[in-house]
Amino acid sequence: MEISQDTEPLNEDWWIYKGDGIPHAGVNGLPSPPAWRAFGDTSAQTLLPLPSQELSPGATSRRLGRVRQAAAYQADKAEVQLVNLALHLRRPLLITGKPGVGKSTLAYAVAHELRLGPVLRWPITSRSTLRDGLYAYDAIGRLHDAGIRGDSKEFKEPKIGRYLRLGPLGTALLPWRHPRVLLIDEIDKSDVDLPNDLLNVFEEGEFEIPELSRLGSGKREVMTADQSAVANVEGGVVRCAEFPFVILTSNAEREFPKAFLRRCVRLEVQPPDAKRLAAMVSAHLGDDPDSESIRAGLITEFLRRQREEGASLANDQLLNALLMAERGLWSHKAGRDVIQDVLLRSLGDS
């Protein structure tokens, strides 16, 4: 979808997400959902606070890079408009674009700017099912532990919550005070049935865990997709208070059912320009005045190959090329040849 780029200024009063990478509390001003997208009591005292976005002591450098990249991400007007439409309408945002253009980064940028906690990521494969995203139950582990404890004189059946963990989608549907950000990555790689299977969950904002509901009413503690976190599930039903901000990414490798598409806000991401590539590089590799000319030259060559030669190149290829260039390969012809012929080789070349 294209947004008008004429000279008339856009009305930004309704924007919650600004797209400038500066964290703020604007999500507190998100208007109430339309009646057909209201799911729970958002004023209830039992709503869950968002988990901290700060990195734990054991966080990896890759996660740190994600934070830097999210902060540096500069969304264009089309992206900002459609993110805000999805936020207001409580609808999933389906992002389509070529591999490596930064589709998934938008989820991290929204979570960073709106302070919505860590992104819940669900990477999709051809074997992924709806159940994988909702929860996993280790029935064998529970039976094993119950058998061992049954041999003791003081038998006590282990609590079921120790063997049940909510998946990324299941965790996103907990009754959070503010919407969690859920990234469903590469939905086009899924089995043909998964998009349709998601429809009911997206429409109802809830799902049942039969292993818990058959135990009757009451709260039961289960594990979540957040690191070392637990939550209480009432009566075996997980029900959201605020519909999560869902981003689904697609490399346009397949078509989706119309019923699925009409429930999504759709955004087609274009390849980044030189300014956005430079910000991405700085986020990952840091600022280095001594490498400015090398970076500018390789970014120019990267874009030239895409536009003039029609090369299929991903952003991480540029990062790899720049990393090795700054480690000395750019200082001699043989090294430059390796960078240009190997690291910047089109993905379409056989």
Side-chain angles (χ1 to χ4, degrees), residues 224-238:
T224 76
D226 290 311
Q227 185 178 11
S228 303
V230 296
N232 288 312
V233 175
E234 176 75 40
V237 176
V238 176

Side-chain angles (χ1 to χ4, degrees), residues 44-48 159-161 175 212-213 215-222 231-237:
Q45 298 297 316
T46 56
L47 296 182
L48 301 174
K159 292 183 178 180
I160 190 172
L212 294 184
S213 58
L215 298 177
S217 61
K219 294 182 180 181
R220 289 177 175 84
E221 190 176 80
V222 301
N232 288 312
V233 175
E234 176 75 40
V237 176

Side-chain angles (χ1 to χ4, degrees), residues 267-286:
L267 167 65
E268 184 173 352
V269 172
Q270 301 300 322
D273 57 17
K275 180 180 178 181
R276 295 183 69 179
L277 285 175
M280 178 199 72
V281 169
S282 178
H284 280 285
L285 301 181

Side-chain angles (χ1 to χ4, degrees), residues 64-317:
L64 182 60
R66 276 292 193 190
V67 173
R68 289 174 177 168
Q69 189 176 11
Y73 190 87
Q74 298 294 309
D76 62 26
K77 291 181 180 178
E79 293 170 356
V80 174
Q81 291 275 59
L82 295 180
V83 164
N84 280 288
L85 283 176
L87 284 168
H88 279 264
L89 297 174
R90 274 64 169 187
R91 288 292 184 186
L93 179 64
L94 175 61
I95 305 180
T96 304
K98 294 181 179 180
V101 297
K103 299 184 295 295
S104 61
T105 305
L106 183 56
Y108 293 89
V110 173
H112 172 78
E113 181 177 319
L114 298 184
R115 298 174 178 167
L116 295 179
V119 172
L120 295 161
R121 179 174 177 265
W122 181 16
I124 301 298
T125 71
S126 60
R127 300 180 299 278
S128 298
T129 65
L130 178 62
R131 169 75 178 264
D132 297 329
L134 294 177
Y135 73 98
Y137 175 53
D138 183 9
I140 295 177
R142 187 182 184 210
L143 287 172
H144 178 266
D145 288 353
I148 293 176
R149 294 177 183 227
D151 293 335
S152 65
K153 293 181 179 180
E154 296 181 0
F155 170 68
K156 185 177 181 181
E157 186 177 7
K159 292 183 178 180
I160 190 172
R162 292 178 52 188
Y163 309 94
L164 200 151
R165 182 183 296 275
L166 299 181
L169 174 56
T171 301
L173 290 172
L174 286 168
W176 301 103
R177 186 169 301 280
H178 296 298
R180 290 295 300 271
V181 177
L182 171 66
L183 171 62
I184 304 179
D185 217 2
E186 300 191 332
I187 184 69
D188 51 338
K189 287 184 167 30
S190 72
D191 177 84
V192 66
D193 293 326
L194 182 58
N196 279 327
D197 291 341
L198 285 167
L199 291 182
N200 186 60
V201 176
F202 284 167
E203 286 302 294
E204 301 302 324
E206 65 179 53
F207 68 97
E208 181 185 20
I209 302 176
E211 292 84 353
L212 294 184
S213 58
R214 68 170 60 105
L215 298 177
S217 61
K219 294 182 180 181
R220 289 177 175 84
E221 190 176 80
V222 301
M223 296 181 288
T224 76
D226 290 311
Q227 185 178 11
S228 303
V230 296
N232 288 312
V233 175
E234 176 75 40
V237 176
V238 176
R239 181 180 295 111
C240 71
E242 281 282 1
F243 189 75
F245 178 68
V246 181
I247 283 186
L248 307 105
T249 69
S250 168
N251 294 328
E253 295 179 355
R254 61 179 281 195
E255 294 183 356
F256 296 105
K258 291 182 179 179
F260 177 79
L261 293 177
R262 75 178 176 85
R263 288 170 170 83
C264 298
V265 175
R266 289 182 280 169
L267 167 65
E268 184 173 352
V269 172
Q270 301 300 322
D273 57 17
K275 180 180 178 181
R276 295 183 69 179
L277 285 175
M280 178 199 72
V281 169
S282 178
H284 280 285
L285 301 181
D287 294 321
D288 185 359
D290 296 334
S291 300
E292 286 184 0
S293 61
I294 296 176
R295 292 183 180 184
L298 273 176
I299 288 174
T300 299
E301 175 63 12
F302 180 84
L303 293 173
R304 185 195 68 78
R305 292 189 179 201
Q306 285 183 324
R307 294 168 181 169
E308 297 180 12
E309 300 179 6
S312 177
L313 294 170
N315 292 352
D316 55 358
Q317 289 178 269

